[in-house]
Amino acid sequence: MVQEFDKVGVVGLGAMGAGIAEVFARAGFNVIGVEIDQAAVDRGRSHMDKSLSRAVSKGKLTEEERSGIDARLTFTTSREDLADADFVVEAVPERMDVKKDVFADLDRICPPGTILATNTSSLSVTEIAALTGRPEKVVGLHFFNPAPVMKLVEVITTVSTGEETVDVVTEVAKRIGKTPVAVGDRAGFVANALLVPYINDAVRLYERGIATRAEIDAAAQKAADLPMGPLALADLVGLDVCLAVMDVLWEENRDPRFTASPLLRRMVAAGQLGRKTGLGFHEGRSEEPEPRAESRYAEMIRDEETLDLGEILIAPQIDDALRMIGDGYASAKDVDTAMRFGCGYPKGPTELLADRGAESVVTTLMAMGEYSLTTIAVPAPLLMDQLPDAEEGQGHGGGCACHG
């Protein structure tokens, strides 16, 4: 079925949508990019021109290949031009009302066999699919920024998605050179549900005067060999995006673990969104003094042998991952793949757990609880099962049985 695909539509040509259109065109598909007006079309085309020019200058594309890609790209301001599309990806702003409008239109315009995919990073795919007369043909196809570079795509299914649709979308993802991870329709999916609470935890540590921005980022980088610390990553992702994901996680789970940091909410209200506005945790900021001397938490981090700043950031994420796996929402392999290919982690959460051993992670979480540094009351059952004294057959002391 994948070989029969020819025409792909992409609705929304912002930085993400333009990247998605480029990815499909590079893979040999004829692509129609749709935007709301000509000015938006021109901006989208400019995004692609710059990206393709960079690829040519770096020797990743030849001029001939670039010409072929350009020939497969068509731009329009009319959704009606998608009337013969085989596959359409929506990449409009992350607002349910906007996405509902797009899908109602696509359902009317496109043939019954056309698969409709949303690039939402956190909204309910089920709610979007229910607006159409073809819920079995609707999926989430969550790309990561920048789309031409990042290898991960999350394929999100609903209770209505047909098995054939999932198979086709998974094969399409592979054909465009991506690594697909199949997940159900749950807030944040895999990558954002693990990454954004970790960023939020870092914001809380900074807000409470436990450590400086530089200390927090350096500690996380050292603990997991990460290319970027959580506060620098928040600036890159966008503080508004982080807040939106936290709010979606809270709405679905109603768990204190997913309460957005007050500082994060205040910064977004002030328009301090990170790189996109030039002001964030690091963006536009000068160096800062050491944490407040009166902070008992700062003193504790420096003197308490059972706590390490980097582990304080990594342990809750490992616990979140183990809950996700234990719930049957995603496999250990898919969780690790999502974090490595979607978030740039050298090792996924279960691999980080294997390095540390369950006892070390549980000890950190328990110590954090004593100092009110986490809302996790009891570590994940799957994590507890792997303690050395766990009941025989339930775990492997000091290791990770997640892949069993």
Side-chain angles (χ1 to χ4, degrees), residues 284-341:
R285 305 282 189 188
S286 60
E287 288 300 313
E288 61 190 340
E290 286 295 305
R292 298 186 299 274
E294 69 272 16
S295 171
R296 70 183 181 93
Y297 301 104
E299 283 294 320
M300 175 271 300
I301 292 297
R302 285 164 171 73
D303 302 332
E304 175 61 62
E305 292 184 4
T306 60
L307 284 172
D308 171 85
L309 183 57
E311 296 306 312
I312 284 174
L313 288 160
I314 299 302
Q317 187 179 69
I318 291 174
D319 187 82
D320 288 342
L322 270 287
R323 289 179 194 279
M324 188 178 283
I325 296 164
D327 287 347
Y329 174 63
S331 69
K333 179 182 178 181
D334 281 349
V335 166
D336 284 346
T337 297
M339 297 309 287
R340 285 192 283 109
F341 288 95

Side-chain angles (χ1 to χ4, degrees), residues 244-303:
V245 173
M246 287 303 299
D247 283 346
V248 169
L249 289 168
W250 163 254
E251 284 298 326
E252 179 162 307
N253 296 285
R254 297 287 170 163
D255 186 321
R257 171 85 182 110
F258 304 114
T259 303
S261 159
L263 176 60
L264 177 63
R265 195 173 296 282
R266 289 196 299 271
M267 290 178 71
V268 171
Q272 298 178 13
L273 309 182
R275 288 193 185 182
K276 67 179 74 176
T277 60
L279 193 60
F281 286 105
H282 291 282
E283 294 294 317
R285 305 282 189 188
S286 60
E287 288 300 313
E288 61 190 340
E290 286 295 305
R292 298 186 299 274
E294 69 272 16
S295 171
R296 70 183 181 93
Y297 301 104
E299 283 294 320
M300 175 271 300
I301 292 297
R302 285 164 171 73
D303 302 332

